[in-house]
Amino acid sequence: MRWRSDGFEFGCDNVEKLRVTFALDCCGREAIDWAASTGDYDSSTVQDVMLRSVEKCFGDRLPDTPLQWLTDNCSAYTAHETRRFARELNLEPCTTVVSSPQSGSISVLHPSVELIAQSRHWP
């Protein structure tokens, strides 16, 4: 089993940036969890998404076997505390090679992400 996490940002009309971090199930290509904020994108946001993803899929248990947690090489994902926390949740942190197609296009992972980014309309 493999999950993928990434992030993107929107430029808002008031010049703020809305940053979104999400986790996807690579098999079902469904969003498991996400977080959005106008604040900084950091390892604590990634860890929150990790924890909620495990809780949504496994309740109060951890996965029986390690799940791959595939990400790019952003510092929020490669931080020591993020990788340690992933292992505590029985997630195996894996990063894509810099300049690989897998690390550069979230729209490949979930078509609705591209549509959202293009529309830039929020309810």
Side-chain angles (χ1 to χ4, degrees), residues 58-122:
F58 297 96
D60 60 355
R61 301 177 311 117
L62 295 177
D64 294 331
T65 58
L67 299 175
Q68 286 187 340
W69 178 261
L70 182 63
T71 68
D72 62 17
N73 291 294
C74 170
S75 62
Y77 291 110
T78 59
H80 174 74
E81 59 272 7
T82 302
R83 296 175 66 80
R84 179 191 51 76
F85 188 69
R87 289 186 189 97
E88 288 176 6
L89 296 176
N90 211 11
L91 302 176
E92 179 187 339
C94 303
T95 54
T96 57
V97 178
V98 177
S99 302
S100 73
Q102 295 88 347
S103 67
S105 178
I106 57 175
S107 62
V108 169
L109 298 170
H110 203 279
S112 64
V113 172
E114 185 174 316
L115 294 173
I116 291 169
Q118 289 173 356
S119 70
R120 295 177 53 178
H121 294 292
W122 290 87

Side-chain angles (χ1 to χ4, degrees), residues 12-40:
C12 300
D13 291 339
N14 66 357
V15 187
E16 285 187 312
K17 291 184 179 180
L18 179 67
R19 293 172 178 89
V20 180
T21 304
F22 60 91
L24 299 176
D25 178 338
C26 291
C27 296
R29 298 184 79 162
E30 294 181 29
I32 303 167
D33 191 66
W34 58 274
S37 172
T38 56
D40 289 336

